[in-house]
Amino acid sequence: MALTLAGTAYAQSASAPAPKGPPKLIVVVSVDQFSADLFGEYRGSYDDGFAKLMQGGVFPSGYQSHAATETCPGHSTITSGYRPAHTGIIANNWVDQAAPRKDKTVYCAEDESVPGTDSSNYTVSDKHLLVPTLGERMKAADPRTRVVSVAGKDRAAVMMGGHKVDELWWWNGKAFVSYAGRITPAVVTRANTAIAAVIAKPQAALPVPANCVPRDKAIALGGGKSVGNGHFDRAAGDAKAFRASPAFDTGIFALAAGLVQDMKLGQGPQTDIITVGASATDYIGHTYGTEGGEMCIQMAELDRNLGGFLDVLDATGVDYEVALTADHGGNDLPEREILSNIPEAQRADVGLAPAVIGKAIGEKLGITTPLLFGDIPNGDIWISTAITPAQRKAVQAEAIARYKALPQVAAVLTAAEIAATPMPGGAPEKWSLIQKARASFYAPRSGDLIVFLKPRVTPIPNPGGGYVATHGSPYDYDRRVPILFWRKGMTGFEHAAGVETVDIAPTLAHTIGLKVPGVDGRCLDLKAGGAACK
C-alpha cells in the first residue's frame, strides 16, 4: 500500500438509482476539530471528497451538544448515540482521588489499575466507556459483522470502535499500534513502513491554493514566534511535525482503505462497519490556529484525502453508507481574533489554575494540604477528599466566591446544581449553560465544581510553549459541527435546524433495520435509501 490517496473531482449524479435494502458497509468518519464554522467557510472550495458527500444529506448545524467539547467525550457520542452523561466520558482526563496509584489523574482511554502506569504513560483500555457502540450492537445482532476502527488518536479509535472490535489501530507517535498481543495484519505493517519512509525524508513546503493566499499571513505571538504562514515543510525525521500536517491524514485514510481492501469489508452476507478518526485537523488547529494559511491548506488536502478514500471504496463495488462529523469544533488564537475585530478575545490568566486558587484558599482557611485539582478551566474542578466535610463545605464556598469574582469567568456551577437539572432536550442551540453541563455530567467522575470562562477566553495562558489555540468551551464555536450522510443514489438535501451527533448512531442503525433502544439520539429522516424514520 502506497502512502497516497489521489482523489478525483465528483460531479452530481442524478441518474444513480435509489438504494434498496441495507448497505453492506457503514463508514463513519470523524474529522477532529472540524467545526461547522470551518465547514461553512470552505464548503464552496471543496471539489473532491466533500463535494461527493454534499450530494447526500447535509446537516450544517450538528451539535456535540454537551459542555465538555474535548476529543474523548465527543468521540464517545458519535457511534453510541449517548451523551457523555451516559457514556461516562466526561473529559479527556478526570481526577479520581481513590485511584490505586500516586497519579490521581485518569486518562479516558486507559486502565489506571495497571501497575507502573500513569496518565501520561498508560495502558490503552476501553474500560471507562459505559455504553455499547453501533459496531457492538451490530455484532451482537449478527456475529459475522466485522468492526474496524482506525484513528490518529487512541481515544478516537477506542471510543468509536467500542469494546468488541475485530481490528483497532491508532498512531502512538511513531507507528500504528493496537492492544498488546494482537496480531499485526500485513496491511498495518505496510502502512507503518510507508509512513516511516515518509517521515525519514524532509518535506518540501506545500503549495498555497489561490483561496489561501489572503489567509497566508504571519501572526506574531511574542518571543520571536509566529504562526499563520506555515506551509508544512519539515526536517527529515520530525515525527511531531508530520503529525501536525496533512500527511498525517493521508496515512490514516490509507490504512483505513487498506483494511477495507484486505479484509474485503462489505463483501460478505452481513453489514460491516469501519470508523475512521482523521486527527490532523486538530493538531494543526492547536499548533497554528483555525484561520491561518496552515488550516486553509489542510482543508484542501483533507478534501483530497477524503476523495481518495472514497475512490477506494467505490472501486470495491460495495454498497456503502457514509456518515461524517467531528468530535468538537475549535476557536482560533486570540491574537488573530483581535486583529479580526473580536476585541473580547484574550488568553486566560494563570491565576485561574485550581492549584493557585486552592493555595490561596488554604492560606485563608489555615489548611496546608492541596485543596483543588484540575486544569485551568473551562471545566471540572475537584475538591480534596483528604479534608473534613466541614472544611470541604468551606472550601467550596470560598472557591465559588473567588471564581465568580474573576473577570474572565462566566459561571460557576456545583455538582449538586447540575445533578438536579433534568437532562435537556429540544433544539441544542437553545440550551443554557447548566443544560450543556448536565449533558456531560456523570457524578462518579465529574468535578465538585464546573467553571466556565467567558466566550473567546482561550485557556492557554502562554502560546510560546507549543499549542496556541484550543477548544473545550460550552460555546457554539466548539459545540457546532457538520454532519453529512451519503449513499449512492441518495436524494440530496440540506437540513438547517440543529441536530445532535448522538443522532448519527440511531440513524445508521435504522438503515440496517437495527433497533437501538434507550439512546439519547433520534433517527434523522434521510428520506432515501430506506432511512425514512417511522
Side-chain angles (χ1 to χ4, degrees):
M1 179 190 65
L3 188 63
T4 57
L5 281 169
T8 56
Y10 289 98
Q12 181 73 26
S13 177
S15 60
K20 295 181 180 180
K24 298 307 300 279
L25 177 63
I26 290 176
V27 181
V28 181
V29 178
S30 172
V31 179
D32 202 319
Q33 205 180 134
F34 187 47
S35 67
D37 293 336
L38 275 180
F39 175 67
E41 184 176 352
Y42 289 99
R43 67 180 293 181
S45 65
Y46 294 137
D47 61 5
D48 207 323
F50 283 110
K52 179 170 185 173
L53 297 188
M54 287 189 294
Q55 295 174 24
V58 179
F59 296 81
S61 291
Y63 279 84
Q64 290 282 3
S65 52
H66 51 271
T69 50
E70 295 183 322
T71 301
C72 215
H75 279 106
S76 78
T77 72
I78 294 171
T79 61
S80 73
Y82 291 98
R83 298 174 186 140
H86 293 134
T87 69
I89 308 300
I90 58 103
N92 284 347
N93 300 281
W94 55 83
V95 173
D96 179 1
Q97 297 178 67
R101 64 185 186 195
K102 183 177 181 181
D103 176 16
K104 303 302 181 182
T105 297
V106 176
Y107 175 57
C108 63
E110 72 156 318
D111 182 353
E112 68 276 15
S113 69
V114 176
T117 64
D118 58 41
S119 56
S120 297
N121 179 29
Y122 52 83
T123 296
V124 175
S125 171
D126 55 33
K127 66 179 287 185
H128 294 302
L129 179 63
L130 302 180
V131 297
T133 61
L134 177 59
E136 289 179 67
R137 292 179 185 266
M138 291 169 63
K139 188 177 281 290
D142 186 341
R144 298 172 300 179
T145 293
R146 274 89 59 78
V147 180
V148 178
S149 187
V150 177
K153 299 179 181 179
D154 50 27
R155 54 189 179 270
V158 169
M159 295 301 149
M160 290 201 293
H163 307 91
K164 296 183 183 297
V165 293
D166 294 274
E167 296 292 347
L168 188 145
W169 297 88
W170 65 86
W171 182 257
N172 73 349
K174 297 180 180 179
F176 283 105
V177 299
S178 189
Y179 297 123
R182 278 186 173 263
I183 297 173
T184 303
V187 63
V188 176
T189 300
R190 295 197 303 269
N192 284 335
T193 299
I195 292 173
V198 169
I199 294 174
K201 297 178 181 178
Q203 169 67 57
L206 298 181
V208 180
N211 68 305
C212 296
V213 172
R215 299 173 173 84
D216 194 35
K217 298 177 181 178
I219 301 295
L221 299 178
K225 181 176 180 178
S226 67
V227 298
N229 63 341
H231 302 153
F232 301 110
D233 46 316
R234 55 176 170 79
D238 192 342
K240 185 176 181 180
F242 166 81
R243 189 180 66 173
S245 79
F248 188 32
D249 278 345
T250 307
I252 295 166
F253 279 115
L255 176 55
L259 285 164
V260 169
Q261 293 170 317
D262 281 22
M263 296 179 69
K264 293 181 169 49
L265 295 182
Q267 298 183 42
Q270 74 290 338
T271 298
D272 297 322
I273 181 171
I274 182 170
T275 61
V276 184
S279 304
T281 301
D282 184 70
Y283 287 116
I284 291 167
H286 283 305
T287 305
Y288 305 107
T290 63
E291 292 298 322
E294 301 92 349
M295 186 60 77
C296 189
I297 294 171
Q298 163 62 3
M299 289 295 99
E301 294 296 311
L302 173 64
D303 189 34
R304 289 184 69 254
N305 280 321
L306 179 61
F309 178 57
L310 298 177
D311 284 346
V312 173
L313 296 177
D314 288 340
T316 67
V318 168
D319 176 12
Y320 66 94
E321 181 174 28
V322 180
L324 182 145
T325 189
D327 54 341
H328 53 72
N331 187 35
D332 196 25
L333 57 149
E335 290 80 3
R336 184 159 44 218
E337 288 186 312
I338 292 170
L339 295 176
S340 301
N341 199 30
I342 306 177
E344 65 270 25
Q346 56 190 289
R347 294 194 176 277
D349 190 316
V350 293
L352 287 163
V356 175
I357 299 289
K359 182 178 179 181
I361 293 172
E363 290 173 350
K364 179 178 179 178
L365 300 180
I367 305 173
T368 57
T369 186
L371 295 177
L372 300 182
F373 306 97
D375 298 325
I376 287 182
N378 300 307
D380 297 87
I381 296 175
W382 293 263
I383 299 173
S384 173
T385 56
I387 56 179
T388 67
Q391 288 175 322
R392 281 176 57 84
K393 184 177 180 179
V395 169
Q396 176 171 291
E398 187 68 22
I400 292 172
R402 286 176 181 265
Y403 274 113
K404 284 186 173 181
L406 295 172
Q408 292 184 324
V409 171
V412 183
L413 305 173
T414 68
E417 291 171 328
I418 299 169
T421 301
M423 185 66 70
E429 60 268 37
K430 297 180 180 179
W431 292 4
S432 66
L433 280 179
I434 198 166
Q435 286 178 312
K436 298 171 189 177
R438 180 66 186 89
S440 50
F441 178 81
Y442 176 62
R445 295 173 186 168
S446 292
D448 299 291
L449 300 173
I450 293 184
V451 176
F452 292 132
L453 302 181
K454 290 180 178 177
R456 305 293 178 180
V457 178
T458 296
I460 300 177
N462 177 17
Y467 284 173
V468 302
T470 193
H471 46 85
S473 82
Y475 305 114
D476 280 2
Y477 50 79
D478 284 340
R479 294 174 71 231
R480 198 168 70 96
V481 298
I483 300 176
L484 309 176
F485 292 94
W486 180 90
R487 187 180 176 192
K488 186 177 181 180
M490 180 179 175
T491 301
F493 68 91
E494 184 156 333
H495 181 90
V499 296
E500 297 183 65
T501 55
V502 293
D503 299 334
I504 294 172
T507 302
L508 294 173
H510 183 78
T511 68
I512 58 174
L514 180 66
K515 295 186 181 300
V516 286
V519 297
D520 293 320
R522 61 187 176 92
C523 177
L524 301 174
D525 194 345
L526 304 184
K527 295 183 174 61
C533 301
K534 298 177 182 179

